[in-house]
Amino acid sequence: MTGLVFKRLWIVSKLEKAARMVSFQPGTNILTGENDVGKSTLIKSLYHSIGADAPQMNNTRWKRAKAFYCSEISLNGATYFIVRDGKHFGVFDAQKDMLSKHSGISTEGGIADFICDQLDFNIELEKSADGKLGRAGPAFYFLPFYVDQDAGWTKSWDSFSGLQQFTSFRKNMIEYHLGIRPQSYYDAKKKEMEFVEAKSSLQGERNVLSTALATFQKRSSQIQVSLDPEAFKEELDQLVDAYNLQRARQQDALSKVNDLPPAGPSLMTRVCRFDFGSRR
C-alpha cells in the first residue's frame, strides 16, 4: 500500500455542471464535518476512481448527478492522472499525455491491467459462476486498508462491491495479505488450472475419437461383400471375349512370323531396296 498515494481528486457532475476538487497532504489526512456533508462519499470516490467500487456509489441520488472522476496519484514514485466515466478509464502521465485507455475493471483490457500490474498484484481466483480463473481487481488489493461504513462494519472484508464473484475470496485474500500464500503460490495455481483445462480438452477429443472408432468398427463388421459371379456375368463374359480376341491375334501374329524364310544377304538387299524405294 505504501506504493500508492492520493494527491488530488476531482468530482464533476454532468447534470449540475459543477465540480469539486480536493487536495490531500503527504502523511495522514483527517476529514471532519457534520453528517451528510459527503465525507464518506469522498472516501468512496477515491477508491471508485481507480476501479475499486465501494457500496452505495450507485444509489439513486448519486446516479442522478452523473458524476465522473479524475484522481491524481503517486504510484511507485511516478505521478499519474486516472479519469473514470462509468466503466471507461483513461490513464495519463504527469504531463497529462494519455498512456492507455481501459473498459471495465477485471475484464480483459480493464483498468486492473494498469493498477494491479503497478502494484505487482497479479492474483487470479476461481469464479463463482463457472470455476474458471479470473483476475482479482484493485478492490481485492485494498481490502485490508479500507472499512466501509455501509458494509465493512457489519461484515469483515466486505467493504467493496463485486467481491462475491470469486469463491472463498476472504480466505484467499487473508492468506495473501498475511504472506501465508505469496504471489508465487497463485502463479503455480494458475498453471495447475491451465494444465487441468488442457487435460480436460484432450480427454474430450479422445472421447470423441473413441466413439467414432467404435461406430466405424461396429458398422464395418456388419458390411457383407457380395462375390456372386452371377451378379457380374455380363462383365465377365465381355472380359473373356476380349481375352479370346487378343489371344487369337497373338496366335495369328506368331504364325506369320514362323512362316517367314530365313534371313540372308539377298533378302536383306531386297528389303533395303524396297524400303529405299518406298521412301521415294
Side-chain angles (χ1 to χ4, degrees), residues 29-235:
N29 290 257
I30 300 176
L31 300 178
T32 60
E34 298 179 358
N35 292 335
D36 296 326
V37 296
K39 301 187 300 298
S40 297
T41 300
L42 175 61
I43 297 174
K44 292 175 188 283
S45 297
L46 287 171
Y47 289 106
H48 181 78
S49 68
I50 58 174
D53 292 335
Q56 300 299 319
M57 286 300 292
N58 290 321
N59 63 63
T60 303
R61 179 183 177 185
W62 194 251
K63 287 174 67 175
R64 282 201 302 264
K66 296 183 178 179
F68 67 93
Y69 310 81
C70 176
S71 57
E72 180 184 0
I73 63 174
S74 174
L75 192 54
N76 294 327
T79 297
Y80 299 97
F81 293 88
I82 300 179
V83 177
R84 178 175 186 177
D85 187 359
K87 295 182 178 181
H88 303 285
F89 297 81
V91 180
F92 301 82
D93 62 14
Q95 288 72 43
K96 300 182 177 63
D97 294 324
M98 176 172 278
L99 300 176
S100 60
K101 55 184 178 180
H102 307 268
S103 180
I105 298 175
S106 297
T107 55
E108 184 177 357
I111 190 61
D113 287 352
F114 174 77
I115 295 292
C116 293
D117 284 350
Q118 292 292 321
L119 296 172
D120 196 23
F121 180 71
N122 298 303
I123 304 299
E124 294 195 21
L125 304 175
E126 293 184 27
K127 296 180 182 178
S128 302
D130 54 16
K132 295 183 178 180
L133 292 179
R135 185 167 197 173
F140 294 86
Y141 181 85
F142 297 127
L143 267 176
F145 311 107
Y146 173 60
V147 178
D148 185 81
Q149 70 174 24
D150 293 312
W153 285 358
T154 58
K155 196 171 184 179
S156 62
W157 293 67
D158 200 31
S159 293
F160 294 101
S161 303
L163 301 174
Q164 291 75 20
Q165 63 180 298
F166 299 114
T167 59
S168 305
F169 75 89
R170 288 187 182 86
K171 179 177 182 295
N172 281 297
M173 288 299 94
I174 289 173
E175 291 177 341
Y176 170 80
H177 286 289
L178 291 178
I180 298 174
R181 290 182 173 177
Q183 179 71 52
S184 57
Y185 167 83
Y186 293 94
D187 293 340
K189 185 70 175 178
K190 179 181 179 181
K191 290 184 179 180
E192 180 189 18
M193 292 290 289
E194 290 174 347
F195 287 138
V196 170
E197 290 182 4
K199 178 182 177 181
S200 177
S201 177
L202 292 173
Q203 185 63 49
E205 294 179 6
R206 178 183 178 182
N207 292 340
V208 170
L209 292 174
S210 297
T211 301
L213 177 61
T215 301
F216 171 77
Q217 291 174 338
K218 181 178 179 181
R219 291 180 178 178
S220 62
S221 64
Q222 297 173 349
I223 296 175
Q224 300 295 330
V225 179
S226 176
L227 298 177
D228 185 6
E230 292 297 328
F232 304 97
K233 186 175 183 306
E234 183 177 351
E235 288 85 350

